[in-house]
Amino acid sequence: MLTMLIHPRTLSALCLCVLSYNALAQDKSQLETRPQSAHQVAPTVDAGAQAQQWQHIATSIQHHLEDNLYQLPPRVLGHYGIRMYRMTGNDKYANAALTDLFVISENQSFYACKLKDKTFVAEQSQLAIDALGKGPRAKARQKALAPFPEFLFYTDILLRTASRIDEFGLQGPCHQELINALKATDLKTGLTDPAMIKSWAAQLINYVYWAKQLGVGDYVDVYKQAFNQVYPAANDAKLTKAQFRNKLYGMTHFIFAASGYYQKDVDAKEFAWILSYFDANIERILTDATADIITEVGISFLLAGQDNHPVVAKTKAAIAARYQADLQVIPSPRGNPDLTSGEHRNVLAIMLFNWPERLHPGPKLAELKVTKKLLPKQVTVAN
């Protein structure tokens, strides 16, 4: 029984969290397991036992997360539900996405409907920068943002919100005003700035693909060129552990963003430059990268249809070694088992260990029986 109280942003979000929890709990006994791919080699006894162990870890983490959904704020709950929907196609995860939709549609209304007010844009831009925090990484990011004071407002607020609503097959409030503002904004300079890439490579590639998704600019090629100029393989030996991780995180997100965040497979040839790099550097990756990044490296191969690549097994073994059975989670590097801060790491582990035969786009919330009558009044179905 849960004893932890939460304080959701809105009454609607709380109600939807309850709906999501109930839908998930009802089907807990029927948690999906991945069928064996037809093209996979028949496992040996040892390989079969190992696969069974990995499946057990995935199921245990999934049980634990779904037993404690009330702990998760709407954004984190949405992150979990959306990924599990894309892994399984099971409608029981749609209400988690709906919870997220209520929050982000309200956010878009607040920000996108005031874009003509330049004072408002400047104030919200500064608040976004201030919210980064005061640690060393935050200070580095704030310094990198100094020449682009409104960059976060247009990317991490507007692009992030509108792209997520678009993934659900919908458009949020003041959608056209938002699109017009993004088209009129110089995103290229901030996206390709070396200091920005060194500060948050993965976030930038997300912004690049979200801009393309919404039709407000195609920066994929120029970002790829800028990224590789900042992080040429010849300079790897000079990279600190933090910069090596930033490079890896950026590379995984080239693939993740191209997949629509696990909605479709990617072309292994297109991303051979990344996959071959991971293969060549897997030992350093296993030593220096975080559990989140190691898991993402393995999933990158799965998205490219390379289930049997040795890197996949190596990442699974490394993540399995970090699993703590008494906590039913993969804790943070400092041993913190908190689900809100660790959901990303743990849902990725479920995905790595239990990759499906096919991915499921969406959820298209206006088309699903369980959600189509519950949509926020501020959204409309996309054309």
Side-chain angles (χ1 to χ4, degrees), residues 307-362:
D307 304 45
N308 292 319
H309 196 286
V311 166
V312 176
K314 289 180 180 180
T315 58
K316 286 181 177 179
I319 296 305
R322 301 185 186 205
Y323 170 72
Q324 290 194 14
D326 57 329
L327 300 174
Q328 290 185 273
V329 295
I330 298 164
S332 75
R334 296 183 179 181
N336 185 354
D338 179 68
L339 291 180
T340 295
S341 60
E343 177 273 336
H344 176 269
R345 175 172 56 254
N346 282 279
V347 75
L348 285 173
I350 295 171
M351 293 160 60
L352 177 67
F353 291 135
N354 201 19
W355 194 253
E357 282 291 307
R358 67 183 182 91
L359 298 169
H360 303 268

Short mmCIF file of all heavy atoms in Angstrom, two decimals, residues 307-362:
data_model
loop_
_atom_site.label_atom_id
_atom_site.label_comp_id
_atom_site.label_asym_id
_atom_site.label_seq_id
_atom_site.Cartn_x
_atom_site.Cartn_y
_atom_site.Cartn_z
N ASP A 307 19.71 -6.93 -33.21
CA ASP A 307 19.46 -7.57 -31.93
C ASP A 307 20.61 -8.46 -31.47
O ASP A 307 20.86 -8.58 -30.27
CB ASP A 307 18.19 -8.42 -32.00
CG ASP A 307 16.96 -7.65 -32.43
OD1 ASP A 307 17.07 -6.87 -33.39
OD2 ASP A 307 15.90 -7.84 -31.82
N ASN A 308 21.28 -9.11 -32.41
CA ASN A 308 22.30 -10.09 -32.07
C ASN A 308 23.71 -9.52 -32.04
O ASN A 308 24.67 -10.28 -31.91
CB ASN A 308 22.24 -11.25 -33.06
CG ASN A 308 20.97 -12.06 -32.91
OD1 ASN A 308 20.51 -12.31 -31.80
ND2 ASN A 308 20.38 -12.44 -34.03
N HIS A 309 23.83 -8.22 -32.15
CA HIS A 309 25.16 -7.62 -32.10
C HIS A 309 25.76 -7.83 -30.70
O HIS A 309 25.05 -7.71 -29.70
CB HIS A 309 25.09 -6.13 -32.42
CG HIS A 309 26.41 -5.53 -32.75
ND1 HIS A 309 27.37 -5.27 -31.80
CD2 HIS A 309 26.95 -5.14 -33.94
CE1 HIS A 309 28.43 -4.76 -32.38
NE2 HIS A 309 28.21 -4.68 -33.67
N PRO A 310 27.03 -8.16 -30.63
CA PRO A 310 27.66 -8.39 -29.31
C PRO A 310 27.51 -7.24 -28.33
O PRO A 310 27.45 -7.47 -27.11
CB PRO A 310 29.13 -8.63 -29.67
CG PRO A 310 29.11 -9.14 -31.08
CD PRO A 310 27.97 -8.44 -31.73
N VAL A 311 27.44 -6.01 -28.82
CA VAL A 311 27.29 -4.87 -27.92
C VAL A 311 25.99 -4.97 -27.13
O VAL A 311 25.94 -4.58 -25.96
CB VAL A 311 27.35 -3.54 -28.71
CG1 VAL A 311 26.85 -2.37 -27.86
CG2 VAL A 311 28.78 -3.28 -29.17
N VAL A 312 24.94 -5.49 -27.74
CA VAL A 312 23.65 -5.61 -27.04
C VAL A 312 23.80 -6.49 -25.81
O VAL A 312 23.37 -6.13 -24.71
CB VAL A 312 22.56 -6.14 -27.98
CG1 VAL A 312 21.25 -6.34 -27.21
CG2 VAL A 312 22.34 -5.19 -29.15
N ALA A 313 24.40 -7.65 -25.98
CA ALA A 313 24.59 -8.57 -24.85
C ALA A 313 25.49 -7.96 -23.79
O ALA A 313 25.25 -8.15 -22.59
CB ALA A 313 25.17 -9.89 -25.36
N LYS A 314 26.51 -7.23 -24.22
CA LYS A 314 27.41 -6.61 -23.24
C LYS A 314 26.70 -5.54 -22.42
O LYS A 314 26.92 -5.43 -21.21
CB LYS A 314 28.62 -6.01 -23.97
CG LYS A 314 29.57 -7.06 -24.53
CD LYS A 314 30.76 -6.42 -25.25
CE LYS A 314 31.71 -7.48 -25.80
NZ LYS A 314 32.87 -6.88 -26.50
N THR A 315 25.85 -4.76 -23.07
CA THR A 315 25.12 -3.73 -22.32
C THR A 315 24.10 -4.37 -21.39
O THR A 315 23.91 -3.91 -20.26
CB THR A 315 24.42 -2.73 -23.27
OG1 THR A 315 23.52 -3.43 -24.14
CG2 THR A 315 25.45 -1.97 -24.10
N LYS A 316 23.45 -5.44 -21.83
CA LYS A 316 22.50 -6.13 -20.96
C LYS A 316 23.20 -6.68 -19.72
O LYS A 316 22.70 -6.55 -18.59
CB LYS A 316 21.82 -7.27 -21.72
CG LYS A 316 20.78 -6.83 -22.73
CD LYS A 316 20.14 -8.02 -23.42
CE LYS A 316 19.05 -7.59 -24.39
NZ LYS A 316 18.43 -8.75 -25.08
N ALA A 317 24.36 -7.29 -19.92
CA ALA A 317 25.09 -7.85 -18.78
C ALA A 317 25.52 -6.74 -17.81
O ALA A 317 25.44 -6.92 -16.59
CB ALA A 317 26.31 -8.62 -19.29
N ALA A 318 25.95 -5.62 -18.35
CA ALA A 318 26.39 -4.51 -17.50
C ALA A 318 25.24 -3.93 -16.69
O ALA A 318 25.39 -3.61 -15.50
CB ALA A 318 27.03 -3.42 -18.36
N ILE A 319 24.08 -3.79 -17.32
CA ILE A 319 22.92 -3.24 -16.62
C ILE A 319 22.37 -4.24 -15.61
O ILE A 319 21.97 -3.88 -14.50
CB ILE A 319 21.84 -2.81 -17.63
CG1 ILE A 319 22.36 -1.68 -18.52
CG2 ILE A 319 20.57 -2.37 -16.91
CD1 ILE A 319 22.88 -0.47 -17.76
N ALA A 320 22.37 -5.52 -15.96
CA ALA A 320 21.91 -6.54 -15.02
C ALA A 320 22.77 -6.54 -13.76
O ALA A 320 22.26 -6.76 -12.65
CB ALA A 320 21.95 -7.91 -15.69
N ALA A 321 24.06 -6.27 -13.92
CA ALA A 321 24.96 -6.25 -12.76
C ALA A 321 24.67 -5.08 -11.84
O ALA A 321 25.03 -5.12 -10.65
CB ALA A 321 26.41 -6.19 -13.24
N ARG A 322 24.01 -4.04 -12.35
CA ARG A 322 23.70 -2.87 -11.54
C ARG A 322 22.31 -2.95 -10.90
O ARG A 322 21.95 -2.09 -10.09
CB ARG A 322 23.81 -1.60 -12.39
CG ARG A 322 25.20 -1.42 -12.99
CD ARG A 322 25.34 -0.11 -13.72
NE ARG A 322 26.64 -0.05 -14.41
CZ ARG A 322 27.28 1.08 -14.73
NH1 ARG A 322 26.75 2.24 -14.42
NH2 ARG A 322 28.44 1.04 -15.36
N TYR A 323 21.55 -3.94 -11.27
CA TYR A 323 20.22 -4.12 -10.71
C TYR A 323 20.31 -4.58 -9.26
O TYR A 323 21.12 -5.45 -8.92
CB TYR A 323 19.45 -5.14 -11.54
CG TYR A 323 18.15 -5.59 -10.93
CD1 TYR A 323 17.05 -4.74 -10.87
CD2 TYR A 323 18.01 -6.89 -10.41
CE1 TYR A 323 15.85 -5.16 -10.31
CE2 TYR A 323 16.82 -7.31 -9.85
CZ TYR A 323 15.74 -6.44 -9.81
OH TYR A 323 14.56 -6.86 -9.26
N GLN A 324 19.48 -4.00 -8.38
CA GLN A 324 19.45 -4.41 -6.98
C GLN A 324 18.09 -5.04 -6.68
O GLN A 324 17.06 -4.36 -6.65
CB GLN A 324 19.70 -3.20 -6.06
CG GLN A 324 21.13 -2.70 -6.15
CD GLN A 324 21.49 -1.75 -5.02
OE1 GLN A 324 20.78 -1.65 -4.03
NE2 GLN A 324 22.61 -1.06 -5.17
N ALA A 325 18.12 -6.34 -6.47
CA ALA A 325 16.88 -7.10 -6.31
C ALA A 325 16.07 -6.65 -5.10
O ALA A 325 14.83 -6.66 -5.14
CB ALA A 325 17.20 -8.58 -6.21
N ASP A 326 16.74 -6.26 -4.02
CA ASP A 326 16.00 -5.86 -2.82
C ASP A 326 15.25 -4.56 -3.03
O ASP A 326 14.22 -4.30 -2.39
CB ASP A 326 16.95 -5.73 -1.63
CG ASP A 326 18.09 -4.75 -1.87
OD1 ASP A 326 18.51 -4.61 -3.04
OD2 ASP A 326 18.57 -4.15 -0.90
N LEU A 327 15.72 -3.73 -3.96
CA LEU A 327 15.07 -2.45 -4.26
C LEU A 327 14.17 -2.53 -5.49
O LEU A 327 13.34 -1.67 -5.72
CB LEU A 327 16.13 -1.36 -4.49
CG LEU A 327 17.07 -1.07 -3.32
CD1 LEU A 327 18.15 -0.07 -3.75
CD2 LEU A 327 16.29 -0.52 -2.13
N GLN A 328 14.36 -3.56 -6.29
CA GLN A 328 13.63 -3.77 -7.56
C GLN A 328 13.87 -2.63 -8.55
O GLN A 328 13.01 -2.33 -9.38
CB GLN A 328 12.13 -3.93 -7.32
CG GLN A 328 11.75 -5.24 -6.63
CD GLN A 328 10.26 -5.40 -6.53
OE1 GLN A 328 9.64 -4.93 -5.56
NE2 GLN A 328 9.66 -6.05 -7.49
N VAL A 329 15.02 -2.03 -8.49
CA VAL A 329 15.37 -0.95 -9.42
C VAL A 329 16.87 -1.00 -9.70
O VAL A 329 17.63 -1.67 -9.02
CB VAL A 329 15.05 0.46 -8.86
CG1 VAL A 329 13.56 0.66 -8.67
CG2 VAL A 329 15.82 0.73 -7.58
N ILE A 330 17.24 -0.25 -10.72
CA ILE A 330 18.64 0.09 -10.94
C ILE A 330 18.82 1.47 -10.32
O ILE A 330 18.31 2.46 -10.84
CB ILE A 330 18.98 0.10 -12.43
CG1 ILE A 330 18.78 -1.30 -13.02
CG2 ILE A 330 20.42 0.57 -12.66
CD1 ILE A 330 18.72 -1.34 -14.50
N PRO A 331 19.50 1.56 -9.20
CA PRO A 331 19.61 2.84 -8.50
C PRO A 331 20.57 3.79 -9.21
O PRO A 331 21.26 3.41 -10.16
CB PRO A 331 20.15 2.44 -7.12
CG PRO A 331 20.91 1.18 -7.38
CD PRO A 331 20.19 0.48 -8.49
N SER A 332 20.63 5.01 -8.73
CA SER A 332 21.56 5.99 -9.27
C SER A 332 22.99 5.58 -8.93
O SER A 332 23.20 4.69 -8.10
CB SER A 332 21.27 7.37 -8.66
OG SER A 332 21.74 7.41 -7.31
N PRO A 333 23.99 6.22 -9.55
CA PRO A 333 25.38 5.89 -9.22
C PRO A 333 25.69 6.02 -7.73
O PRO A 333 26.58 5.35 -7.23
CB PRO A 333 26.18 6.89 -10.05
CG PRO A 333 25.31 7.18 -11.23
CD PRO A 333 23.92 7.16 -10.69
N ARG A 334 24.94 6.85 -7.03
CA ARG A 334 25.14 7.02 -5.59
C ARG A 334 24.24 6.13 -4.76
O ARG A 334 24.18 6.24 -3.54
CB ARG A 334 24.92 8.48 -5.20
CG ARG A 334 25.95 9.44 -5.83
CD ARG A 334 25.73 10.87 -5.37
NE ARG A 334 26.72 11.77 -5.94
CZ ARG A 334 26.78 13.08 -5.68
NH1 ARG A 334 25.90 13.62 -4.84
NH2 ARG A 334 27.71 13.82 -6.23
N GLY A 335 23.50 5.24 -5.42
CA GLY A 335 22.67 4.29 -4.71
C GLY A 335 21.26 4.75 -4.40
O GLY A 335 20.54 4.08 -3.65
N ASN A 336 20.83 5.86 -4.99
CA ASN A 336 19.49 6.38 -4.72
C ASN A 336 18.45 5.60 -5.52
O ASN A 336 18.51 5.57 -6.75
CB ASN A 336 19.44 7.87 -5.10
CG ASN A 336 18.12 8.52 -4.73
OD1 ASN A 336 17.18 7.86 -4.28
ND2 ASN A 336 18.03 9.83 -4.92
N PRO A 337 17.46 4.96 -4.85
CA PRO A 337 16.45 4.18 -5.56
C PRO A 337 15.20 4.98 -5.95
O PRO A 337 14.21 4.40 -6.42
CB PRO A 337 16.08 3.11 -4.53
CG PRO A 337 16.20 3.84 -3.22
CD PRO A 337 17.33 4.80 -3.37
N ASP A 338 15.21 6.29 -5.77
CA ASP A 338 14.03 7.13 -6.01
C ASP A 338 13.50 6.91 -7.43
O ASP A 338 14.25 6.94 -8.40
CB ASP A 338 14.40 8.60 -5.81
CG ASP A 338 13.22 9.52 -6.09
OD1 ASP A 338 12.25 9.50 -5.32
OD2 ASP A 338 13.26 10.26 -7.10
N LEU A 339 12.19 6.71 -7.52
CA LEU A 339 11.58 6.41 -8.81
C LEU A 339 11.39 7.65 -9.68
O LEU A 339 11.47 7.57 -10.90
CB LEU A 339 10.24 5.70 -8.60
CG LEU A 339 10.32 4.28 -8.05
CD1 LEU A 339 8.92 3.70 -7.88
CD2 LEU A 339 11.16 3.39 -8.95
N THR A 340 11.12 8.78 -9.07
CA THR A 340 10.90 9.98 -9.87
C THR A 340 12.18 10.36 -10.62
O THR A 340 12.14 10.63 -11.83
CB THR A 340 10.45 11.15 -8.98
OG1 THR A 340 9.17 10.83 -8.43
CG2 THR A 340 10.32 12.43 -9.78
N SER A 341 13.30 10.38 -9.94
CA SER A 341 14.55 10.74 -10.59
C SER A 341 15.14 9.58 -11.38
O SER A 341 15.93 9.80 -12.31
CB SER A 341 15.57 11.22 -9.56
OG SER A 341 15.84 10.19 -8.60
N GLY A 342 14.74 8.35 -11.07
CA GLY A 342 15.33 7.19 -11.72
C GLY A 342 14.43 6.49 -12.72
O GLY A 342 14.81 5.46 -13.28
N GLU A 343 13.25 7.04 -12.99
CA GLU A 343 12.33 6.39 -13.93
C GLU A 343 12.96 6.22 -15.31
O GLU A 343 12.82 5.17 -15.96
CB GLU A 343 11.03 7.19 -14.02
CG GLU A 343 10.01 6.65 -15.02
CD GLU A 343 10.23 7.18 -16.45
OE1 GLU A 343 10.83 8.27 -16.60
OE2 GLU A 343 9.82 6.50 -17.40
N HIS A 344 13.65 7.26 -15.80
CA HIS A 344 14.26 7.21 -17.12
C HIS A 344 15.19 6.01 -17.23
O HIS A 344 15.10 5.20 -18.17
CB HIS A 344 15.04 8.52 -17.36
CG HIS A 344 15.80 8.54 -18.66
ND1 HIS A 344 17.11 8.13 -18.76
CD2 HIS A 344 15.44 8.95 -19.90
CE1 HIS A 344 17.53 8.28 -20.00
NE2 HIS A 344 16.54 8.76 -20.71
N ARG A 345 16.07 5.86 -16.27
CA ARG A 345 17.05 4.77 -16.27
C ARG A 345 16.34 3.41 -16.23
O ARG A 345 16.75 2.47 -16.91
CB ARG A 345 17.95 4.94 -15.05
CG ARG A 345 18.96 3.85 -14.81
CD ARG A 345 19.92 4.23 -13.71
NE ARG A 345 19.25 4.57 -12.44
CZ ARG A 345 19.11 5.80 -11.96
NH1 ARG A 345 19.59 6.85 -12.62
NH2 ARG A 345 18.49 6.02 -10.81
N ASN A 346 15.29 3.30 -15.46
CA ASN A 346 14.65 2.01 -15.25
C ASN A 346 13.69 1.62 -16.37
O ASN A 346 13.59 0.44 -16.71
CB ASN A 346 13.97 1.99 -13.88
CG ASN A 346 14.96 1.77 -12.76
OD1 ASN A 346 15.36 0.66 -12.48
ND2 ASN A 346 15.41 2.86 -12.15
N VAL A 347 13.01 2.57 -16.96
CA VAL A 347 12.16 2.20 -18.09
C VAL A 347 13.03 1.83 -19.28
O VAL A 347 12.70 0.93 -20.07
CB VAL A 347 11.15 3.32 -18.44
CG1 VAL A 347 11.83 4.49 -19.17
CG2 VAL A 347 10.03 2.75 -19.33
N LEU A 348 14.18 2.48 -19.42
CA LEU A 348 15.12 2.09 -20.48
C LEU A 348 15.59 0.65 -20.27
O LEU A 348 15.74 -0.12 -21.23
CB LEU A 348 16.32 3.03 -20.51
CG LEU A 348 16.11 4.41 -21.10
CD1 LEU A 348 17.37 5.27 -20.89
CD2 LEU A 348 15.79 4.33 -22.59
N ALA A 349 15.82 0.27 -19.02
CA ALA A 349 16.25 -1.10 -18.74
C ALA A 349 15.17 -2.10 -19.13
O ALA A 349 15.47 -3.16 -19.71
CB ALA A 349 16.61 -1.24 -17.26
N ILE A 350 13.92 -1.78 -18.82
CA ILE A 350 12.81 -2.65 -19.24
C ILE A 350 12.84 -2.82 -20.76
O ILE A 350 12.70 -3.93 -21.29
CB ILE A 350 11.46 -2.05 -18.80
CG1 ILE A 350 11.35 -2.02 -17.27
CG2 ILE A 350 10.30 -2.86 -19.40
CD1 ILE A 350 10.13 -1.24 -16.77
N MET A 351 13.04 -1.73 -21.46
CA MET A 351 13.06 -1.76 -22.92
C MET A 351 14.22 -2.58 -23.44
O MET A 351 14.07 -3.38 -24.38
CB MET A 351 13.11 -0.32 -23.45
CG MET A 351 11.85 0.48 -23.17
SD MET A 351 12.09 2.27 -23.26
CE MET A 351 12.63 2.48 -24.96
N LEU A 352 15.40 -2.39 -22.87
CA LEU A 352 16.58 -3.14 -23.31
C LEU A 352 16.38 -4.63 -23.14
O LEU A 352 16.71 -5.43 -24.02
CB LEU A 352 17.80 -2.67 -22.52
CG LEU A 352 19.12 -3.40 -22.81
CD1 LEU A 352 19.60 -3.12 -24.22
CD2 LEU A 352 20.19 -3.00 -21.79
N PHE A 353 15.87 -5.04 -21.99
CA PHE A 353 15.71 -6.46 -21.69
C PHE A 353 14.49 -7.09 -22.36
O PHE A 353 14.40 -8.31 -22.46
CB PHE A 353 15.59 -6.66 -20.17
CG PHE A 353 16.86 -6.38 -19.42
CD1 PHE A 353 16.83 -5.63 -18.26
CD2 PHE A 353 18.08 -6.87 -19.87
CE1 PHE A 353 18.00 -5.37 -17.54
CE2 PHE A 353 19.25 -6.62 -19.16
CZ PHE A 353 19.21 -5.87 -17.99
N ASN A 354 13.55 -6.29 -22.79
CA ASN A 354 12.27 -6.82 -23.27
C ASN A 354 11.85 -6.13 -24.57
O ASN A 354 10.72 -5.69 -24.72
CB ASN A 354 11.19 -6.62 -22.19
CG ASN A 354 10.01 -7.56 -22.37
OD1 ASN A 354 10.10 -8.57 -23.05
ND2 ASN A 354 8.90 -7.20 -21.76
N TRP A 355 12.79 -6.04 -25.52
CA TRP A 355 12.53 -5.34 -26.79
C TRP A 355 11.48 -6.09 -27.61
O TRP A 355 11.52 -7.32 -27.72
CB TRP A 355 13.82 -5.21 -27.58
CG TRP A 355 13.72 -4.24 -28.72
CD1 TRP A 355 13.66 -4.52 -30.05
CD2 TRP A 355 13.66 -2.81 -28.61
NE1 TRP A 355 13.56 -3.35 -30.79
CE2 TRP A 355 13.57 -2.29 -29.93
CE3 TRP A 355 13.68 -1.92 -27.54
CZ2 TRP A 355 13.50 -0.92 -30.19
CZ3 TRP A 355 13.61 -0.55 -27.79
CH2 TRP A 355 13.52 -0.07 -29.10
N PRO A 356 10.51 -5.38 -28.19
CA PRO A 356 9.41 -6.06 -28.88
C PRO A 356 9.75 -6.46 -30.32
O PRO A 356 10.73 -6.00 -30.90
CB PRO A 356 8.31 -4.99 -28.87
CG PRO A 356 9.08 -3.70 -28.97
CD PRO A 356 10.33 -3.92 -28.14
N GLU A 357 8.89 -7.28 -30.89
CA GLU A 357 9.00 -7.63 -32.30
C GLU A 357 8.77 -6.42 -33.19
O GLU A 357 9.39 -6.29 -34.24
CB GLU A 357 7.99 -8.73 -32.65
CG GLU A 357 8.40 -10.12 -32.20
CD GLU A 357 9.59 -10.63 -32.98
OE1 GLU A 357 9.55 -10.63 -34.23
OE2 GLU A 357 10.58 -11.03 -32.34
N ARG A 358 7.85 -5.56 -32.78
CA ARG A 358 7.59 -4.34 -33.55
C ARG A 358 7.24 -3.22 -32.60
O ARG A 358 6.77 -3.44 -31.47
CB ARG A 358 6.47 -4.55 -34.57
CG ARG A 358 5.09 -4.78 -33.97
CD ARG A 358 4.06 -5.04 -35.06
NE ARG A 358 2.72 -5.22 -34.52
CZ ARG A 358 1.84 -4.22 -34.34
NH1 ARG A 358 2.16 -2.97 -34.68
NH2 ARG A 358 0.64 -4.45 -33.84
N LEU A 359 7.44 -1.99 -33.07
CA LEU A 359 7.14 -0.80 -32.28
C LEU A 359 5.75 -0.28 -32.63
O LEU A 359 5.22 -0.55 -33.72
CB LEU A 359 8.20 0.26 -32.54
CG LEU A 359 9.63 -0.13 -32.15
CD1 LEU A 359 10.64 0.88 -32.68
CD2 LEU A 359 9.76 -0.26 -30.63
N HIS A 360 5.19 0.51 -31.73
CA HIS A 360 3.82 0.98 -31.89
C HIS A 360 3.79 2.51 -31.83
O HIS A 360 4.00 3.10 -30.77
CB HIS A 360 2.94 0.40 -30.78
CG HIS A 360 2.96 -1.10 -30.73
ND1 HIS A 360 2.05 -1.88 -31.40
CD2 HIS A 360 3.81 -1.96 -30.11
CE1 HIS A 360 2.32 -3.16 -31.20
NE2 HIS A 360 3.39 -3.22 -30.42
N PRO A 361 3.54 3.17 -32.96
CA PRO A 361 3.52 4.65 -32.96
C PRO A 361 2.40 5.19 -32.08
O PRO A 361 1.38 4.54 -31.84
CB PRO A 361 3.25 4.99 -34.44
CG PRO A 361 3.62 3.75 -35.20
CD PRO A 361 3.31 2.60 -34.29
N GLY A 362 2.61 6.41 -31.61
CA GLY A 362 1.58 7.07 -30.82
C GLY A 362 1.94 7.16 -29.34
O GLY A 362 3.11 7.29 -29.01
#
